[in-house]
Amino acid sequence: MTRLALLALLGALVFLSALQVVTTRYETRLLVMALQALKTQRDDLEREWTQLLLEQGTWSTHGRVEALARNKLNMTVPRASELKHIRS
Amino acid sequence: MNTEYDPQPAWRRHLVVGIFGLLASVLVWRAFDLQLTNREFLQGHGDQRYLRVVQTEAHRGMITDRNDEPLAISTPVSSVWVNPSQLVQNRKRWAELAKLVDMSEDQLETLIVPRRKRGFLYLKRHVKPAMAEAVEAAQIPGVHLTGEYRRFYPGVEIAAHLLGFTNVDDRGQEGIELAFDSMLTGTPGKDRVIKDRLGRVIEYVERIQPAAPGKDLALSIDRRLQYVANRELAKAVQKHKALAGLMVILDVNTGEILSLVNQPSFNPNNRAELKGEFFRNRAVTDLFEPGSTIKPFTVAAGLESGQYTPSTRIETAPGYFRVGRHTIRDIHNYGNLDVTGVIEKSSNVGSTKIALSLDADILWKTFNNVGIGHLTQVELPGETNGRLVDHKHWREIEHATLAYGYGMSVNALQLVRAYATVANGGTLYPVTILRREQPPQGMRVMSQTTADAVSLMMERVVQTGTAKTAQVYGYRVGGKTGTVHKNAQGGGYAEKDYRSLFAGYLPVSKPRLAAVVVIDGPRAGQHYGGLVAAPVFADVMHEAARILNLPADAIDGVPADSGVRMASSPTRTLPAGPRIQ
């Protein structure tokens, strides 16, 4: 009788571990899919960042800023006589 | 019991058993064959049904200036490719395709028909986003888009010669892009994965190749100085109708190149039909005779030898001097000068007399020690080595002409390195185009006393000598002009073809920046270094000093009390202000 019970118990445990394997496998799969999605998102963001950097670089080209400052904002470089040196 | 009963003959039993045995052994053999012998082959094919290879991106590293401002960025672009074997089955859509990629139908035919057996062909690379969207929307079978990377240079022409450019396959062709190509190029990573029905990755099986992204590179140049230098150089080259020009700014204490510009320049983003002449980085590749800019080093040799002091008198009258069959002339008869005056007035006669009174090897050693005749070994491709003939082979006339800078050759980097050595008090540092993360190892090649003395002489050149146009308000400036005859076509020197030079540094009390300006072939009337090259130095340094926040050391003509070098109180005032355009 006890032998049968033991056998049944072991059989049940095997069955439970089998279920656990299936569950773990499934969860791994979900995590891997999430990882791949994040990697793709990272690549997309990095691509967007380089494009933004390029756009910023183009807008902030020194020649363009100088032309705007001189022509649109009427700015000039201060002359020596307009400078005040402060000794600390 | 009937003993004679024999239902079947024995052989029939044995035959059936034998046939079954044979079949069974065939199965067993086949099992062995499949499982053991052909295992890998069959497993491979099985894997191919559901394993896929996924690539991780690795684009080219970014090139930045010393303040991490981007100079060269890789950006994704689309390229159109076709499957010719598939495309030939869709003949009626070729007209539409040709219009989408801006080709004529004939061009498309000549491209595709000879390759109709192939499975892959680039149709147009690096297309504009609008064209890519149109191709995508058209959904022509056999036509696909793929993502590639293209290099863009936000600074456009200001650092064009330094950076170089890449070809359509994203490999460097010139400049830094070439010199550091392997470091900038990344390798994409490859993983073997299992994908499910919907194309999502569900398991990582194997890492075939680890991803190695391209490394970013930080140069030593400052984008703002580069812009100012380029702007002023372009103006000067245009004003004097010169063939070309260049300027290099060096940090005297670290050997870092803070700016390197050449004219003519080009737009690396759009290189259409340009000749190689535009791409040449003249500061590195072009050699020239330094002329009068070498005189401070001749004097340095005299001071180091102990035979001269800054106030030793030299007779330069009557303004010319015979050496063998040759006559060395000054522009005017300057009469009796002290050594400082020889530099201030740039007297050829004075320099020659000093040089000839020294042993050849002492003179040679001084030039050699500041790097003349040695490559700077800067990390840019194409550097040519200047020439300084060994003193053992000098004839008297060579010994003489070397005193005022003829008979030797340098490139701009070698010259500015020599000036930086005097400026920082006598230590030679290696020149680099990369941002330094640690202070460099230098080598003392000149005594501090000599360097200080020569520096004060060069300050006089700017205060009252040939380089008054190099003055920068608020700073003590030292330097030397040069006006060199270029070589004539058939040998010898051209009568009216010049190179205008200025080499200098500031602030004299605590030098930070050294620069060389070369204007090649000015033909608008003026050609003296002091009139053509020195003003460029002044205009650039005025802004550079402000950008870098250099502490002023000469407000209203009075030197501030800081640093080692103090001139014997100059009392004249500096001009009211720099020329502002």
Side-chain angles (χ1 to χ4, degrees):
Chain A
M1 182 50 205
T2 41
R3 244 182 99 188
L4 191 62
L6 195 64
L7 218 57
L9 180 66
L10 287 175
L13 287 177
V14 167
F15 183 66
L16 283 175
S17 70
L19 287 181
Q20 193 59 40
V21 167
V22 172
T23 317
T24 313
R25 207 79 201 281
Y26 175 66
E27 278 167 10
T28 312
R29 205 171 265 222
L30 286 181
L31 287 175
V32 169
M33 287 199 303
L35 176 65
Q36 189 64 17
L38 285 174
K39 281 192 178 179
T40 314
Q41 192 185 28
R42 177 198 63 188
D43 289 341
D44 287 340
L45 286 173
E46 190 156 6
R47 237 178 284 133
E48 193 183 345
W49 180 64
T50 61
Q51 282 174 318
L52 289 172
L53 260 185
L54 189 60
E55 194 180 338
Q56 181 198 33
T58 315
W59 286 120
S60 64
T61 312
H62 295 289
R64 181 176 172 273
V65 174
E66 181 170 9
L68 281 174
R70 283 190 197 280
N71 302 332
K72 258 185 122 175
L73 300 172
N74 292 320
M75 294 172 83
T76 51
V77 181
R79 281 198 304 276
S81 47
E82 294 167 338
L83 289 174
K84 255 187 154 61
H85 291 266
I86 304 169
R87 242 178 261 266
S88 61
Chain B
M1 265 312 161
N2 193 350
T3 52
E4 283 179 19
Y5 178 68
D6 192 1
Q8 311 283 352
W11 64 268
R12 280 174 72 170
R13 230 177 14 249
H14 293 139
L15 181 65
V16 171
V17 170
I19 289 173
F20 274 118
L22 200 61
L23 289 175
S25 60
V26 165
L27 280 176
V28 168
W29 174 85
R30 184 64 179 151
F32 267 99
D33 184 39
L34 287 176
Q35 197 65 23
L36 292 179
T37 325
N38 287 341
R39 177 148 191 249
E40 276 137 38
F41 171 72
L42 294 168
Q43 184 91 31
H45 268 257
D47 285 344
Q48 270 185 19
R49 297 294 169 260
Y50 75 117
L51 289 182
R52 296 274 175 269
V53 173
V54 153
Q55 273 200 346
T56 36
E57 292 201 347
H59 57 262
R60 200 170 170 80
M62 200 163 65
I63 304 178
T64 67
D65 81 341
R66 66 185 298 108
N67 301 311
D68 296 317
E69 296 285 334
L71 294 169
I73 311 175
S74 278
T75 289
V77 287
S78 298
S79 292
V80 182
W81 66 275
V82 297
N83 184 340
S85 55
Q86 213 182 344
L87 202 60
V88 289
Q89 295 160 13
N90 270 300
R91 197 69 186 72
K92 51 183 169 359
R93 298 202 72 179
W94 283 27
E96 181 188 352
L97 178 61
K99 215 158 90 192
L100 280 172
V101 294
D102 207 25
M103 278 175 152
S104 77
E105 216 182 318
D106 295 323
Q107 281 174 318
L108 198 64
E109 268 195 54
T110 29
L111 203 58
I112 297 184
V113 170
R115 298 174 182 87
R116 61 187 179 280
K117 294 272 171 57
R118 293 216 220 153
F120 176 89
L121 174 69
Y122 274 122
L123 197 58
K124 215 163 203 193
R125 299 181 78 167
H126 298 188
V127 300
K128 291 202 170 58
M131 191 186 282
E133 276 166 31
V135 170
E136 175 91 30
Q139 288 286 309
I140 302 176
V143 177
H144 307 269
L145 287 172
T146 181
E148 288 193 302
Y149 278 92
R150 198 195 135 139
R151 211 64 159 155
F152 281 99
Y153 305 91
V156 192
E157 82 276 7
I158 63 170
H161 299 97
L162 274 179
L163 295 171
F165 45 83
T166 53
N167 66 4
V168 76
D169 290 311
D170 226 18
R171 305 312 299 252
Q173 301 292 295
E174 301 263 347
I176 297 275
E177 297 274 25
L178 174 65
F180 291 91
D181 193 46
S182 43
M183 186 181 127
L184 291 167
T185 308
T187 27
K190 285 198 218 162
D191 291 323
R192 210 185 299 279
V193 299
I194 302 175
K195 282 193 176 177
D196 68 358
R197 181 173 59 87
L198 299 170
R200 302 174 296 189
V201 173
I202 53 174
E203 193 176 320
Y204 286 98
V205 173
E206 184 195 339
R207 169 144 284 179
I208 309 176
Q209 199 179 307
K215 295 203 193 55
D216 291 343
L217 190 64
L219 299 184
S220 59
I221 63 170
D222 190 317
R223 206 171 98 146
R224 304 164 295 178
L225 296 192
Q226 193 80 1
Y227 167 72
V228 174
N230 190 71
R231 184 190 70 198
E232 296 304 323
L233 188 69
K235 269 201 271 187
V237 166
Q238 199 193 35
K239 175 174 166 198
H240 296 281
K241 300 203 199 345
L243 289 175
L246 65 90
M247 181 171 188
V248 182
I249 304 179
L250 211 68
D251 182 325
V252 308
N253 299 312
T254 66
E256 288 170 298
I257 299 177
L258 295 179
S259 175
L260 193 159
V261 288
N262 294 291
Q263 285 287 324
S265 191
F266 62 95
N267 180 357
N269 293 315
N270 185 5
R271 295 189 306 274
E273 299 109 28
L274 285 178
K275 286 173 293 218
E277 181 203 320
F278 283 80
F279 300 152
R280 208 167 79 229
N281 189 346
R282 293 158 201 269
V284 165
T285 60
D286 284 12
L287 295 176
F288 54 91
E289 291 174 294
S292 303
T293 54
I294 278 297
K295 285 178 186 153
F297 299 98
T298 309
V299 164
L303 296 178
E304 289 270 276
S305 75
Q307 292 175 251
Y308 292 89
T309 71
S311 44
T312 309
R313 308 241 36 123
I314 314 246
E315 184 61 66
T316 70
Y320 58 85
F321 177 58
R322 288 193 75 94
V323 176
R325 291 184 294 115
H326 306 265
T327 309
I328 294 168
R329 291 177 199 283
D330 281 345
I331 302 172
H332 297 297
N333 179 352
Y334 295 117
N336 192 290
L337 294 171
D338 62 0
V339 169
T340 305
V342 167
I343 295 290
E344 190 187 337
K345 302 268 186 275
S346 196
S347 163
N348 297 336
V349 172
S351 315
T352 312
K353 287 195 171 176
I354 297 176
L356 288 177
S357 73
L358 298 171
D359 284 335
D361 68 314
I362 292 185
L363 189 63
W364 179 88
K365 230 178 24 198
T366 305
F367 295 150
N368 180 67
N369 284 351
V370 294
I372 304 206
H374 294 277
L375 286 169
T376 60
Q377 290 177 321
V378 73
E379 302 87 343
L380 297 165
E383 184 180 10
T384 36
N385 196 356
R387 248 183 82 239
L388 176 67
V389 177
D390 192 310
H391 60 89
K392 292 197 277 283
H393 305 306
W394 290 359
R395 294 177 290 143
E396 198 191 12
I397 185 63
E398 276 155 1
H399 189 154
T401 55
L402 286 170
Y404 53 98
Y406 283 88
M408 63 166 78
S409 63
V410 294
N411 70 19
L413 285 179
Q414 289 152 16
L415 187 61
V416 75
R417 174 176 64 172
Y419 268 75
T421 307
V422 171
N424 70 30
T427 308
L428 185 74
Y429 288 108
V431 171
T432 180
I433 192 68
L434 301 178
R435 179 177 66 193
R436 282 208 199 279
E437 313 292 350
Q438 272 125 22
Q441 278 279 51
M443 193 171 68
R444 177 160 285 286
V445 294
M446 192 185 283
S447 69
Q448 181 85 41
T449 357
T450 306
D452 289 347
V454 173
S455 185
L456 286 177
M457 291 183 211
M458 288 206 268
E459 188 180 4
R460 283 280 289 278
V461 174
V462 176
Q463 286 173 334
T464 53
T466 59
K468 295 212 270 278
T469 46
Q471 286 168 1
V472 178
Y473 176 75
Y475 298 92
R476 292 167 62 189
V477 178
K480 186 74 190 69
T481 56
T483 312
V484 191
H485 292 271
K486 286 169 68 172
N487 292 339
Q489 286 290 19
Y493 290 101
E495 261 290 315
K496 289 225 180 296
D497 208 6
Y498 301 95
R499 224 175 237 117
S500 309
L501 310 174
F502 179 79
Y505 56 92
L506 87 168
V508 169
S509 56
K510 231 177 154 198
R512 291 281 307 276
L513 307 175
V516 156
V517 178
V518 178
I519 305 286
D520 187 355
R523 38 201 67 174
Q526 297 172 326
H527 53 262
Y528 286 120
L531 294 175
V532 175
V536 179
F537 174 91
D539 289 338
V540 173
M541 285 308 190
H542 171 73
E543 279 202 53
R546 214 168 32 84
I547 290 171
L548 297 179
N549 237 337
L550 296 185
D553 65 347
I555 315 224
D556 297 324
V558 177
D561 31 41
S562 66
V564 175
R565 288 193 250 272
M566 290 293 287
S568 45
S569 50
T571 48
R572 33 146 242 100
T573 48
L574 291 165
R579 277 158 293 114
I580 307 291
Q581 52 281 4

